């Protein structure tokens, strides 16, 4: 709050679940000084704590993996002996789990592995669930990005994941803009049921067994790959700024996919089939997981030779790229020093 005098009236955008939780819990206080770009906590809690998200999805018929919340060792014994393996041990609140274990979830193949993962999580004070494992490679993951107001999607954009970091259960390191009409209805329905408003990125995964897209999570905040939508002509951060700061009502007619304020910067012919690349993670993890992923050389380089945008590298604004390089060098030296 010590920054209020300097930044009073500015747009406050939470960028991860930790900050979103803090801002949403104190939104009424923060709104005295800022334009706050998130929902209040009674809504945010429903997607931050995923046990509520999956229960809501089940109640309205949005396809999702079966999910069992584990509240005790008795639950573990009762459900763990009867469920089908492999399955996921997944945190109810991902950011708490990631802070401790540096991963989003764990795949378990039998009861003993599940019990061990449960005990590790509960010992760290993290509530977890058992969840159905949805088979499918990295490209089966998709995003439904939207800007909602009064229960209606004013702007929508869909994309498909190409490579994850790490593979299978990580975050996108390469994604591609793509029309995916199969997820539109489910994406809209879960957001309406949440009474959500503003920007969100709702994730689904296509089940390799039946071809149905299953709900993975709702992110009520901007994700790093939002630049993909910007490059394709849908500038979600600017839409949010215009709406909350300038008081201009967003219009779906002004932000159809393919329209762009500057044709030179984001040509309409590239609005579909454009790649977003986290250049650091893709190089590092493509090298590390080359054998496991089994991609051909052309599959690795295709995003770089097709129309694309990088997560940080931009000749017109090189500072973020330089800063990230410096951070990686510091991290490498720190790791090397600890090893010695």
């Amino acid at each position: 709050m010590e920054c209020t005098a300097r930044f009073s009236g500015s747009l406050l955008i939470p960028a991860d679940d930790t900050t979103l939780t803090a801002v949403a819990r104190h939104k009424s206080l923060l709104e005295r000084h800022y334009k706050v770009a998130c929902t209040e906590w009674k809504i945010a809690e429903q997607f931050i704590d995923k046990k509520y998200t999956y229960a809501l999805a089940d109640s309205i018929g949005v396809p999702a993996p079966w999910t069992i919340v584990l509240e005790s060792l008795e639950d573990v014994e009762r459900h763990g002996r009867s469920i089908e393996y492999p399955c996921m041990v997944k945190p109810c609140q991902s950011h708490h789990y990631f802070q401790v274990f540096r991963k989003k979830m764990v795949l378990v193949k039998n009861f003993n592995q599940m019990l061990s993962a449960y005990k590790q999580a509960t010992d760290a004070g993290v509530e977890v669930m058992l969840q159905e494992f949805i088979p499918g490679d990295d490209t089966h993951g998709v995003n439904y990005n939207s800007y909602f107001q009064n229960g209606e999607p004013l702007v929508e954009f869909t994309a498909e994941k190409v490579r994850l970091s790490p593979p299978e259960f990580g975050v996108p390191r390469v994604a591609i803009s793509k029309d995916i009409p199969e997820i539109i209805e489910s994406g809209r329905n879960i957001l309406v049921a949440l009474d959500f408003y503003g920007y969100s990125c709702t994730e689904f995964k296509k089940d390799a067994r039946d071809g149905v897209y299953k709900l993975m999570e709702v992110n009520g905040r901007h994700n790093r790959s939002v630049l993909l939508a910007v490059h394709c002509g849908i500038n979600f951060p600017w839409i949010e700024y215009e709406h909350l700061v300038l008081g201009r009502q967003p219009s779906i007619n002004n932000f159809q996919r393919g329209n762009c304020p500057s044709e030179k910067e984001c040509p309409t012919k590239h609005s579909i089939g454009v790649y977003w690349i986290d250049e650091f993670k893709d190089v590092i993890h493509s090298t590390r997981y080359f054998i496991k992923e089994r991609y051909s050389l052309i599959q690795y380089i295709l995003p770089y030779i097709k129309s694309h945008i990088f997560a940080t590298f931009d000749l017109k604004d090189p500072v973020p790229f330089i800063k990230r390089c410096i951070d990686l060098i510091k991290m490498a030296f720190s790791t090397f020093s600890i090893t010695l």
Side-chain angles (χ1 to χ4, degrees):
M1 297 300 292
E2 61 269 16
C3 298
T4 54
R6 180 181 177 187
F7 297 107
S8 180
S10 298
L11 183 63
L12 181 62
I13 303 179
D16 58 33
D17 284 350
T18 301
T19 52
L20 174 60
T21 298
V23 172
R25 285 182 181 275
H26 303 285
K27 184 179 180 182
S28 59
L29 174 61
L30 291 167
E31 281 184 321
R32 301 175 190 175
H33 308 281
Y34 306 101
K35 305 295 184 181
V36 181
C38 73
T39 65
E40 57 270 24
W41 179 242
K42 70 176 183 179
I43 296 175
E45 185 180 19
Q46 303 299 305
F47 58 81
I48 289 290
D49 194 326
K50 293 176 177 55
K51 65 175 180 283
Y52 299 128
T53 313
Y54 296 122
L56 181 61
D58 181 64
S59 70
I60 64 173
V62 170
W66 58 254
T67 303
I68 301 170
V69 180
L70 300 176
E71 298 180 349
S72 65
L73 277 174
E74 288 74 18
D75 285 344
V76 174
E77 287 287 343
R78 182 170 67 255
H79 298 294
R81 301 291 184 183
S82 59
I83 61 172
E84 181 180 348
Y85 292 94
C87 71
M88 310 302 301
V89 174
K90 189 172 183 178
C92 293
Q93 298 193 37
S94 298
H95 59 293
H96 292 324
Y97 189 86
F98 188 82
Q99 287 170 356
V100 177
F101 299 103
R102 309 310 298 174
K103 55 186 176 183
K104 298 176 67 175
M105 64 197 81
V106 60
L107 178 70
V108 294
K109 299 180 180 180
N110 53 55
F111 175 82
N112 288 335
Q113 288 184 1
M114 184 272 291
L115 179 61
S116 175
Y118 169 79
K119 288 182 176 179
Q120 288 178 5
T122 53
D123 287 347
V126 179
E127 184 181 19
V128 292
M129 309 169 286
L130 292 180
Q131 188 172 87
E132 178 184 11
F133 169 64
I134 304 299
D137 62 29
D138 289 358
T139 63
H140 283 218
V142 297
N143 290 345
Y144 167 73
N145 303 270
S146 64
Y147 194 84
F148 258 67
Q149 188 178 10
N150 299 322
E152 295 289 338
L154 302 182
V155 192
E156 297 173 308
F157 178 81
T158 54
E160 182 179 88
K161 300 172 185 179
V162 177
R163 294 195 283 268
L164 301 182
S165 170
E168 295 186 278
F169 307 116
V171 297
R173 69 183 201 257
V174 180
I176 184 172
S177 59
K178 184 177 181 180
D179 277 322
I180 312 171
E182 299 94 327
I183 65 173
I184 298 296
E185 183 178 1
S186 290
R188 291 173 178 173
N189 288 345
I190 191 66
L191 294 176
V192 169
L194 284 166
D195 200 22
F196 188 87
Y197 57 89
Y199 173 81
S200 65
C201 173
T202 304
E203 300 185 30
F204 296 86
K205 185 175 181 181
K206 186 177 182 179
D207 193 325
R209 298 166 297 187
D210 57 17
V212 175
Y213 285 94
K214 309 290 176 66
L215 176 69
M216 293 290 105
E217 62 181 340
V218 176
N219 299 296
R221 54 172 173 77
H222 290 279
N223 52 344
R224 293 189 65 241
S225 60
V226 72
L227 279 177
L228 176 59
V230 174
H231 190 69
C232 292
I234 301 181
N235 193 331
F236 282 110
W238 175 246
I239 292 171
E240 197 163 47
Y241 181 86
E242 278 201 311
H243 183 212
L244 298 180
V245 178
L246 302 182
R248 298 174 186 167
Q249 181 73 11
S251 170
I252 192 168
N253 295 322
N254 294 334
F255 297 101
Q256 292 291 345
R257 182 181 285 111
N259 291 340
C260 183
S262 171
E263 185 174 346
K264 182 178 180 181
E265 293 186 6
C266 38
T268 58
K269 65 179 180 179
H270 291 155
S271 59
I272 299 299
V274 179
Y275 288 92
W276 171 86
I277 306 168
D278 185 329
E279 61 274 32
F280 290 95
K281 287 187 176 181
D282 193 45
V283 170
I284 293 171
H285 286 89
S286 292
T287 303
R288 180 180 299 175
Y289 297 107
F290 179 77
I291 296 177
K292 179 179 180 179
E293 291 184 316
R294 297 183 179 276
Y295 292 131
S296 66
L297 180 60
I298 188 62
Q299 286 176 307
Y300 274 119
I301 67 174
L302 186 64
Y304 294 86
I305 60 178
K306 293 288 188 177
S307 179
H308 64 270
I309 184 170
F310 289 116
T312 52
F313 180 74
D314 188 337
L315 288 175
K316 293 181 292 184
D317 183 15
V319 175
F321 179 80
I322 295 171
K323 174 65 165 59
R324 199 170 181 193
C325 287
I326 293 172
D327 289 343
L328 286 174
I329 292 171
K330 288 181 178 179
M331 187 183 303
F333 272 108
S334 176
T335 303
F336 180 72
S337 299
I338 293 173
T339 303
L340 291 179

